[in-house]
Amino acid sequence: MSAAAPQSELRLVVLGQTGPGQSPAGCTILGLQDSGQGPDQPESQECKHRGEAADRKLAVVSGPAWFSSGCSPEDRRKHISSFISLSSPGPHAFLLFVPLNQPTDGQDKALDALTKLFGPSVLSRHTIVLFTHTEELEEDQQLDEYLATWRDLQELVDRCGGRYHTLETRSGEEAGERDPVQELLEKVEQMVKESETGHLSCPLYDEAEERVRERQVEVVRRRRAEEQASPTDSQPEEDVTEEEMESVRDEAERSVGVLDVDLGDIFPSTSVTPSPPSFLQGLWEKLRDWLKWLPGLVRREALLGALVGLFMGGPFGGMLGTTVGSVATEVGRRKTQKTK
């Protein structure tokens, strides 16, 4: 690991948004301040933040959803090159934010893209799923119990080595009862300890680190020339110190430019206009939005009844679905009353 990126600093790359109005993703709840960028940094660009949380030095890189179908091929290449340069020589962890109240198709695409970019070890050794919108959980329901009821969410976690966490606190928890940020960083450190390389290492990050260090040397020599008010090429070929290199690291990372990333096999449909959502997908999203307004006690039971009616079809299916939902809701109420 280079002197510009000491081992005491954990490098984290955030994928996805933590919630509406929170930008850049992850940095607000980690309590970090921007490093080298103003508060008006556009949301369409990658941001790197340095700071301390839970007595640990952190560098957090976040940006737009470059893995979404709405991102153009040119922008996608720029975003990928940027977050790779900013997290060079390699992140210790990718943090994939996943809302409990939305389907996981977009997150699956992100994991597919990471695997093709960096190899299978990026998921098994360097990725943690962070769940948001935990208000979906019933009052006494644990997150692992909820995941057991949703196969797509459980499969997402399984792809990431079974690692997941949430930074949200539940209602009823007393202040100081748990520190979710500290718990997350402990999981990151345990993951780093179990990995063979510490941080992620692959050809793309090797190329990025080489280019960053070349830019560091160029920036140092340019600054020397500016301070001495003389042309750069007339300066003696002095050795550039690691201290000087570290002082210009941020500028060098931001000026590397676009890397030679072949995205043809990773995003084969980028040049094709995205197709409209299928009927079933649209129906599912409307159903999930409707269910969010129901009380937590009846939400899952109502969903069960709706699914029965959907797949049976016709008037009989609707009647059967309503009956199943009503019975399941009543059973859930009696079970809750019995445990109180």
Side-chain angles (χ1 to χ4, degrees), residues 2 16 33 37 58 60 62 67 69 100 121 125 135 153 180 192 211 217 234 263 265 268 289 299:
S2 69
Q33 297 298 316
Q37 296 174 236
L58 303 177
V60 181
S62 62
F67 46 86
S69 59
L100 287 178
S121 66
R125 300 175 184 172
E135 69 273 7
L153 293 177
V192 171
R211 291 177 62 169
V217 174
S234 67
L263 302 181
D265 294 335
D289 290 339
R299 187 175 296 145

Side-chain angles (χ1 to χ4, degrees), residues 13-27:
V13 175
V14 171
L15 301 175
Q17 297 294 323
T18 62
Q22 295 182 355
S23 176
C27 295

Side-chain angles (χ1 to χ4, degrees), residues 179-226:
D179 186 341
V181 173
Q182 181 171 337
E183 290 177 356
L184 169 63
L185 297 181
E186 288 174 354
K187 291 182 179 180
V188 171
E189 290 175 336
Q190 180 63 30
M191 182 176 63
V192 171
K193 182 179 179 180
E194 293 173 355
S195 70
E196 297 178 357
T197 58
H199 64 75
L200 176 65
S201 179
C202 67
L204 261 179
Y205 269 105
D206 292 342
E207 177 192 350
E209 180 64 10
E210 181 179 353
R211 291 177 62 169
V212 167
R213 291 188 68 81
E214 289 175 354
R215 287 293 298 146
Q216 286 176 285
V217 174
E218 293 174 5
V219 172
V220 169
R221 288 178 175 167
R222 187 194 71 219
R223 289 187 178 182
R224 286 178 179 177
E226 292 172 350

